[in-house]
Amino acid sequence: MMWFIEFKVPGRIVSLPLDEACGEFWAGANPEHAVCLPFKGVSRTHFSLKREGGQWTIRDAGSTNGTYINGKRISEKIIQADDVISAGAIELTLREGEALSMERVKLPSPRGEEAHLKETDVMPFLPLKKDEEFFYFPNLIFPKDMVLGRSAAMLDVYQKLNAIVQSDAAVLLTGETGVGKEMFAHTIHLSGKRSQGSFIALNCAAVPEQMAEAELFGVGKRVATEVDERKGKMVEANEGTLFLDEVEAIPQALQSKLLRALEEKKVYPLGITKAVKTDFRLVAATNAAPETLLKKEVLRQDLFHRIATLELFIPPLRERRDDIEPLTKAFLEKLCGQENKAIAGIGKEALRLLSEYGYPGNIRELLNILRAMVVLAHPGEILNENHLPQKVVAGGSDLRIGGIGDQGMRAEGHRYHATLEKVSEQLIVRALNKNGGNIRKAAEFLGLSEYGLSKAMKRLGIKAKK
């Protein structure tokens, strides 16, 4: 059993866990308090709660507007489960329960310094816990803010990276938008021979066509009135690494000039005839299948073969679902630091829904979803399905319940009655969990009578948690 403080905010109920082992809990408008209450009439430090001799004691901390228990002002009082605490404009209830404490994944408290990571900070290998199998890639150095997957698909990617980083050959990274291709390009740079040079990145799709040549090759002196001399990305990357994202967006007319510059290792800035030497490792990336680009003649074939000496495919997040939970926990820890907000954990049901969502935007979309959850959550709260966007809730269960979604159908088929029993069991368990083990509410949620649900639970051997 575990204790919680609950209070209502528009649209939902906030539940903040109270770990008895932590001693005294302070409550007030101060964001550093365990029970943060940024509401009208609440003092910066309003009251404290302490577990003593198996009982909870509440003490007013000299608040301006006072602390009330069940409508009566107190200075110190022993309180019980379901007692109502009033502080300013907010009413809180002390609760005792089991479901939330058993159905969450704890998160560490945010560390402020994580919000200000330097791009130059690196970690030399996968940071695995002591109880996990050790995978070591001696050639790899990852950017400090890169969150690593542990799935078989990603370990295969790291193994290939480990093999190619010591080469100077050009690399083409392929994969859907949002899978983190720039992070992998940065890993290649940090791990390679040119790590002491600059890492220069250019999103080719973001550059207007008329500006592409100047961005890549630079501009010479006095080319035109009010046009300053500047280096192009290919010169800035000298002795380092040049990353060209969405390389297929480079205008066709410029692709032959780029190919020549790569072959000769020299560029001609706009407006001058004297070549500027440059030597860098090229890492390019595309969201499209290379064969499609070649077939549609979006990318010149000779340029493709020059930039794709080595190809590395980064799988989409939906093909490595084993990574979603560890990525979620790592991202949440990072986001809590950035938002300077402590979150007590994330519920197992929310994790399940996150793990079943399709992520068309891949890692970037997962990060944005989690950022929104942290921003919307109350400090100290456990994230649950109510914090998730509707697209995740709607897309996470209906088609995959019982493991029989479009991708879950087994080639040998399913036994109808056995599968139906499994689906029924999962529906009932989820309904009970969602309604705190209350059979009446779960029955209403499922559109059943209380008797009908009880009968089904007995047949399936399901017991409601009290």
Side-chain angles (χ1 to χ4, degrees):
M1 302 297 285
M2 192 167 184
W3 291 87
F4 299 86
I5 282 287
E6 287 189 352
F7 56 91
K8 291 182 179 179
V9 294
R12 62 190 177 91
I13 295 176
V14 174
S15 295
L16 304 179
L18 302 174
D19 188 345
E20 298 179 48
C22 293
E24 193 165 19
F25 296 88
W26 293 92
N30 187 337
E32 295 183 359
H33 285 335
V35 181
C36 178
L37 303 172
F39 303 108
K40 184 178 179 180
V42 178
S43 297
R44 188 165 177 82
T45 300
H46 203 103
F47 64 85
S48 70
L49 281 167
K50 188 173 184 179
R51 187 71 167 166
E52 299 175 309
Q55 296 179 313
W56 284 102
T57 300
I58 186 169
R59 297 182 179 92
D60 183 74
S63 61
T64 301
N65 295 315
T67 301
Y68 294 77
I69 303 298
N70 301 325
K72 295 183 179 180
R73 186 164 184 166
I74 59 94
S75 58
E76 181 175 326
K77 183 176 175 58
I78 293 173
I79 60 173
Q80 310 293 329
D82 300 327
D83 278 347
V84 177
I85 306 165
S86 298
I90 193 78
E91 285 192 345
L92 310 98
T93 306
L94 183 66
R95 302 284 194 197
E96 184 180 21
E98 184 177 13
L100 282 175
S101 64
M102 298 299 291
E103 295 294 331
R104 67 164 170 156
V105 175
K106 288 186 178 180
L107 294 172
S109 299
R111 294 186 290 275
E113 66 270 15
E114 293 192 4
H116 306 287
L117 295 170
K118 296 179 180 178
E119 195 174 65
T120 53
D121 292 338
V122 297
M123 50 186 176
F125 53 82
L126 288 171
L128 301 178
K129 297 177 182 177
K130 293 180 180 179
D131 58 347
E132 293 179 307
E133 187 174 355
F134 186 71
F135 292 94
Y136 177 54
F137 304 102
N139 295 333
L140 296 186
I141 297 176
F142 298 97
K144 181 70 174 180
D145 51 352
M146 183 173 181
V147 179
L148 304 171
R150 310 291 174 81
S151 64
M154 289 313 298
L155 291 174
D156 181 60
V157 170
Y158 302 141
Q159 186 63 53
K160 291 174 180 176
L161 270 177
N162 190 66
I164 70 175
V165 290
Q166 295 301 305
S167 169
D168 214 24
V171 180
L172 178 65
L173 301 175
T174 62
E176 296 177 7
T177 183
V179 294
K181 294 187 288 294
E182 183 166 349
M183 281 293 189
F184 287 96
H186 203 177
T187 300
I188 291 172
H189 169 71
L190 291 172
S191 309
K193 303 172 184 176
R194 299 174 180 269
S195 60
Q196 298 304 309
S198 298
F199 176 76
I200 304 297
L202 177 66
N203 186 330
C204 302
V207 180
E209 186 170 342
Q210 64 272 22
M211 297 288 293
E213 186 170 2
E215 281 291 325
L216 282 168
F217 300 103
V219 179
K221 288 183 179 180
R222 295 184 292 276
V223 170
T225 305
E226 297 183 357
V227 175
D228 296 328
E229 178 186 22
R230 62 187 174 93
K231 293 180 179 179
K233 300 298 185 186
M234 297 180 73
V235 175
E236 289 181 8
N238 185 40
E239 298 184 355
T241 302
L242 176 63
F243 174 56
L244 297 179
D245 196 9
E246 298 190 66
V247 65
E248 71 276 11
I250 295 175
Q252 280 276 338
L254 196 58
Q255 289 186 20
S256 59
K257 186 173 181 179
L258 174 61
L259 175 63
R260 181 182 176 188
L262 293 173
E263 295 287 356
E264 297 179 354
K265 295 186 177 181
K266 58 185 179 182
V267 300
Y268 292 86
L270 283 172
I272 64 174
T273 57
K274 184 179 180 181
V276 178
K277 292 184 178 181
T278 184
D279 185 15
F280 53 81
R281 184 173 193 179
L282 177 67
V283 180
T286 178
N287 301 328
E291 56 270 21
T292 301
L293 298 177
L294 294 174
K295 185 177 181 180
K296 293 183 177 180
E297 298 184 347
V298 176
L299 193 65
R300 288 175 57 112
Q301 192 169 54
D302 49 3
L303 178 61
F304 169 76
H305 291 302
R306 177 64 182 79
I307 66 177
T309 306
L310 300 167
E311 285 189 59
L312 183 63
F313 173 69
I314 313 299
L317 192 53
R318 65 179 176 276
E319 293 182 8
R320 46 189 180 102
R321 295 188 184 277
D322 289 347
D323 286 337
I324 293 174
E325 182 171 331
L327 286 174
T328 294
K329 289 187 281 188
F331 281 146
L332 284 175
E333 183 177 358
K334 176 181 176 182
L335 291 167
C336 286
Q338 292 177 349
E339 298 292 336
N340 194 27
K341 183 183 287 187
I343 298 297
I346 181 168
K348 290 291 184 65
E349 178 67 5
L351 270 177
R352 182 190 67 77
L353 290 169
L354 284 168
S355 296
E356 292 182 350
Y357 180 61
Y359 296 101
N362 289 292
I363 300 290
R364 187 182 297 122
E365 185 176 12
L366 172 62
L367 182 60
N368 287 339
I369 288 170
L370 296 173
R371 185 183 298 279
M373 293 177 74
V374 170
V375 170
L376 292 172
H378 191 86
E381 193 176 6
I382 295 173
L383 300 176
N384 57 48
E385 56 270 32
N386 294 322
H387 297 99
L388 291 169
Q390 184 57 35
K391 64 180 180 180
V392 177
V393 176
S397 58
D398 293 344
L399 293 178
R400 281 174 284 276
I401 191 163
I404 55 171
D406 292 340
Q407 297 179 358
M409 293 293 286
R410 298 196 300 267
E412 69 274 17
H414 285 267
R415 301 292 296 175
Y416 174 78
H417 291 291
T419 301
L420 196 60
E421 293 281 275
K422 182 179 180 182
V423 171
S424 298
E425 181 181 357
Q426 289 186 13
L427 276 172
I428 292 171
V429 169
R430 290 181 194 175
L432 288 167
N433 287 340
K434 191 175 184 67
N435 291 280
N438 187 302
I439 295 177
R440 180 182 58 80
K441 291 182 179 179
E444 291 175 359
F445 181 80
L446 292 170
L448 298 172
S449 68
E450 189 171 347
Y451 172 77
L453 177 57
S454 297
K455 189 175 179 180
M457 289 171 61
K458 184 175 181 181
R459 175 171 54 82
L460 296 168
I462 300 172
K463 294 183 179 180
K465 294 180 180 179
K466 296 182 180 179

